[in-house]
Amino acid sequence: MADRKFRVVVAGAGVSGLFMAETLKRARIDFTVYEKAGEVGGTWRDNTFPGLFVDVLSRQYEFPFHPNYNWSRKYAPATEIWAYIKKVARDRGLTKFIRFNEEVVAARFTDGRWHIDTAKGNIDVADVFICATGFLHKPLFPNIAGRESFAGPSFHSARWDHSVPYAGKRWGVIGSGASGVQITEALAWAGCDVTQFIRRAQWVHIRENPHSTWRERLSLRRPGGYQREQRRLWQLIIEGDGWRLKPGPQREAMEREYKSFLDYIKDPELKKQLTPDYNLGCTRIPKSDKNYYEAVQLPNAHIVKGHIAHIVPDGVVIADGTHVKLDVLVYATGFDAHAYMRPMNVTGLNSTTIDEAWKEKIYCYGGIALPGFPNLFMLYGPFAPVNNVPVPLGLDQEIACIMRLIAEARATGLGNKPNASTPGSHSRNREARAPCYRTIAAPAASNDAISYRQADNLRK
């Protein structure tokens, strides 16, 4: 590699891809980012449903190299998050490295380099291939009989159809996870006739979301102010999130607090329907910015709990025979959290494809690498997403590790290929894989934290 220019290709221009791009730009490494859409933003570009707010504190959802002093609220609305991402891409000069509207459809490791094919028929060659395709990008639809028969507009929450007017429509929302809660409360407060179909009640965080004050914004701009406030914020989070990691009085107090939110519900039967039958923290916790429990008590809002038997042209039929007539049907049913870069066709050593490698079980090294696929790195790959760690913080750690490996590869001309026995690997088996390519050791990584095992709405 020393006798020619070292090159990196990145797939995806969402938060992960932009973070990687900025890091590569600073390191003066030759790279190109391929983005299938016409704009940056990833999930924040694709998800435009009503009521969407970021589920962590706004100041947790920042690139460390580009702080934002002007968040409008404690938890920013989706439109503001997307605007921030677009501004970062332009202010940092990252768009010139991005090939928009060009999706990577295949990548093959041949002769020591990655050969990347795009949907436009172009071929690129790189020493390192980085998949920044996100872990919540492939919408998942439920396997319900008659789904295709529905006569009215129907769409996934990540593909919201803004041509459908709210007024005069009977809306149905399938799903009780994060998106289902936010959509239902937004439609209810907008005066729509909305029915939410749930299989299992969720713990819901009824949170306050105040607007930021000019004093708060000014304090961040003062010399040392941002760093001081960020340290204070993270200390508060570390102390406040201790209940997630170990049982004890703090966890018990937190569960009592969440149970108290249910007291907003006056109807005993509705309260029973929406009371979870499992302990707090076992699943991702939906966030409510407009008091979901008050919203579902409006006369125009309805909760139907139970198994959906089938969908018919004019609505939904529950297992007990109840027929709910609808004009619009929304699937707030989450994503295929194990799709990762797929449907991209990625082929590593010995012509092994990703689908073949993961046929029996998803596995990886430290959430970023995969045995048998040299110099392939994933941002927020298997076991990497942690439900109490903001995405930018996780990326900071992952990208730092990848850059150390890239530096080693550039300096030595070797590739990075963890094998099944590498410390930190999550593997379907422990047999050694043939050492077909020279490798360097990767540092150990911790995988003890709670990770996204599935999409937020798969088991509702």
Side-chain angles (χ1 to χ4, degrees), residues 156-205:
H156 193 274
S157 59
R159 302 291 184 268
W160 193 270
D161 186 350
H162 291 276
S163 69
V164 180
Y166 287 3
K169 303 288 186 181
R170 295 168 297 184
W171 289 75
V173 179
I174 297 177
S176 60
S179 54
V181 165
Q182 291 183 321
I183 292 168
T184 298
E185 70 178 20
L187 292 176
W189 289 118
C192 301
D193 186 290
V194 57
T195 300
Q196 184 185 20
F197 300 91
I198 69 172
R199 287 170 52 183
R200 190 180 193 186
Q202 300 285 321
W203 293 102
V204 178
H205 182 192

Side-chain angles (χ1 to χ4, degrees), residues 60-248:
Q60 288 181 279
Y61 212 89
E62 295 178 350
F63 294 103
F65 53 83
H66 200 106
N68 181 11
Y69 307 120
N70 295 311
W71 292 116
S72 66
R73 307 187 71 164
K74 187 175 182 179
Y75 304 97
T79 51
E80 191 173 353
I81 295 287
W82 188 29
Y84 165 70
I85 295 170
K86 289 188 288 184
K87 185 177 187 301
V88 170
R90 284 153 179 77
D91 288 356
R92 310 300 295 195
L94 300 179
T95 54
K96 66 182 179 182
F97 298 100
I98 303 172
R99 294 188 184 179
F100 290 105
N101 298 307
E102 189 158 6
E103 181 178 7
V104 173
V105 295
R108 175 181 288 271
F109 188 76
T110 306
D111 298 327
R113 303 187 82 195
W114 283 98
H115 297 254
I116 293 105
D117 299 327
T118 75
K120 290 185 176 181
N122 295 322
I123 299 175
D124 203 341
V125 180
D127 300 286
V128 171
F129 180 42
I130 298 174
C131 292
T133 48
F135 59 97
L136 299 178
H137 70 94
K138 184 180 179 181
L140 191 64
F141 288 89
N143 185 20
I144 300 175
R147 187 167 63 83
E148 301 298 331
S149 71
F150 187 71
S154 64
F155 44 86
H156 193 274
S157 59
R159 302 291 184 268
W160 193 270
D161 186 350
H162 291 276
S163 69
V164 180
Y166 287 3
K169 303 288 186 181
R170 295 168 297 184
W171 289 75
V173 179
I174 297 177
S176 60
S179 54
V181 165
Q182 291 183 321
I183 292 168
T184 298
E185 70 178 20
L187 292 176
W189 289 118
C192 301
D193 186 290
V194 57
T195 300
Q196 184 185 20
F197 300 91
I198 69 172
R199 287 170 52 183
R200 190 180 193 186
Q202 300 285 321
W203 293 102
V204 178
H205 182 192
I206 306 298
R207 65 187 186 184
E208 295 182 356
N209 191 5
H211 289 274
S212 61
T213 66
W214 69 267
R215 289 181 182 275
E216 290 170 334
R217 299 184 192 187
L218 180 61
S219 68
L220 296 174
R221 294 180 178 275
R222 289 174 175 165
Y226 180 80
Q227 291 76 11
R228 182 178 60 254
E229 291 302 320
Q230 287 298 93
R231 286 195 298 270
R232 184 183 301 172
L233 171 66
W234 283 109
Q235 186 60 37
L236 179 65
I237 292 167
I238 290 169
E239 294 174 358
D241 271 2
W243 68 270
R244 299 176 185 270
L245 304 177
K246 59 183 179 180

Side-chain angles (χ1 to χ4, degrees), residues 403-414:
M403 291 304 291
R404 290 197 298 272
L405 297 174
I406 287 177
E408 186 74 9
R410 294 178 74 190
T412 64
L414 301 182

Side-chain angles (χ1 to χ4, degrees), residues 114 346-349 352-354 357 370-376 416-417:
W114 283 98
V346 180
T347 305
L349 297 175
T352 301
T353 67
I354 284 284
L370 186 63
F373 294 79
N375 288 354
L376 168 71
N416 303 291
K417 180 181 75 67

